[in-house]
Amino acid sequence: DAGITQSPRHKVTETGTPVTLRCHQTENHRYMYWYRQDPGHGLRLIHYSYGVKDTDKGEVSDGYSVSRSKTEDFLLTLESATSSQTSVYFCAINHAGTSGSSYNEQFFGPGTRLTVL
Amino acid sequence: GQQLNQSPQSMFIQEGEDVSMNCTSSSIFNTWLWYKQDPGEGPVLLIALYKAGELTSNGRLTAQFGITRKDSFLNISASIPSDVGIYFCAGLKGAQKLVFGQGTRLTINP
């Protein structure tokens, strides 16, 4: 158990509405990530964070923004949801830089299933 | 975007059989990770590989980091029903950006 929770676990929303997904971790990890998972594409990186207020874009960042004001929380926002953003969203953390670990092993949360109608 | 080619996409085997799957890329990676995902859950890390040529085992699972650094293999010996799921390879290049394969769906007939 990597101490990661995601909320909400399921959400249905309408096109054009803003949506915020929350990832919460309890182990003070520096690195946090947001991925989306779609059939035939595996997992694709949206954004990641390497510290409070430090974020960078991933492979599929268009239409998404992130914020990290506290170590434990990483928020993913869809400013105006579209049907193409219907997906399962996973948060992940990395043990690198924590407790002397230098290994780049990412551990995933349980996921949020988002449906945009 | 950059992708890993994972094969096969699906496997249907009998309980007790051995399983092999692989991942290839046109790019070099410095870390290979293998994950398993059960329905409705997040991926779970099975094995991490850090050196070219490295062979690592975790119980009945064995994975290898290809010598060219462009591929990796996962083997499961003597499959059991709880091995059912989707297996993903992932490669790390440089910084923090993991690239995932499309997954191998494993189905086991008892």
Side-chain angles (χ1 to χ4, degrees):
Chain A
D1 182 359
I4 306 170
T5 56
Q6 293 185 231
S7 59
R9 293 294 313 278
H10 301 270
K11 186 171 181 66
V12 180
T13 191
E14 294 186 348
T15 297
T17 60
V19 176
T20 294
L21 308 183
R22 179 180 182 239
C23 178
H24 180 77
Q25 56 128 336
T26 59
E27 299 178 354
N28 205 36
H29 296 293
R30 178 183 175 189
Y31 296 96
M32 299 183 74
Y33 312 79
W34 277 107
Y35 291 86
R36 60 177 290 172
Q37 184 175 32
D38 304 290
H41 288 279
L43 288 95
R44 292 179 293 174
L45 181 65
I46 305 172
H47 283 280
Y48 70 98
S49 170
Y50 45 96
V52 172
K53 298 186 180 179
D54 292 325
T55 64
D56 202 355
K57 295 180 179 180
E59 180 187 359
V60 290
S61 59
D62 288 348
Y64 301 94
S65 63
V66 290
S67 66
R68 192 166 179 203
S69 58
K70 300 184 292 183
T71 299
E72 57 266 36
D73 289 325
F74 192 30
L75 304 180
L76 177 71
T77 298
L78 291 66
E79 300 290 347
S80 178
T82 67
S83 58
S84 65
Q85 293 176 311
T86 292
S87 187
V88 181
Y89 291 86
F90 287 99
C91 175
I93 57 89
N94 189 326
H95 282 178
T98 302
S99 301
S101 171
S102 61
Y103 292 113
N104 280 307
E105 298 172 2
Q106 294 188 16
F107 298 86
F108 288 81
T112 294
R113 182 174 295 276
L114 176 67
T115 302
V116 184
L117 301 175
Chain B
Q2 184 173 301
Q3 273 202 327
L4 300 180
N5 298 311
Q6 188 170 347
S7 65
Q9 291 188 2
S10 59
M11 302 183 72
F12 298 85
I13 64 169
Q14 296 295 124
E15 183 177 351
E17 290 185 5
D18 296 343
V19 173
S20 292
M21 60 189 77
N22 68 81
C23 219
T24 61
S25 173
S26 57
S27 301
I28 290 174
F29 291 97
N30 53 30
T31 298
W32 283 93
L33 305 175
W34 283 92
Y35 290 87
K36 177 177 183 278
Q37 186 177 29
D38 293 325
E41 298 183 9
V44 174
L45 182 64
L46 299 174
I47 291 180
L49 302 159
Y50 295 98
K51 295 181 182 178
E54 179 181 1
L55 187 70
T56 297
S57 293
N58 178 8
R60 293 178 296 105
L61 278 62
T62 302
Q64 184 162 24
F65 192 143
I67 196 71
T68 65
R69 298 170 66 192
K70 295 182 178 181
D71 56 8
S72 180
F73 305 86
L74 176 69
N75 296 316
I76 305 172
S77 63
S79 59
I80 59 177
S82 62
D83 291 335
V84 166
I86 304 177
Y87 292 80
F88 290 98
C89 61
L92 184 66
K93 185 177 181 180
Q96 295 296 318
K97 300 181 182 181
L98 267 184
V99 178
F100 280 80
Q102 304 96 319
T104 295
R105 182 180 296 274
L106 179 62
T107 302
I108 298 175
N109 298 316

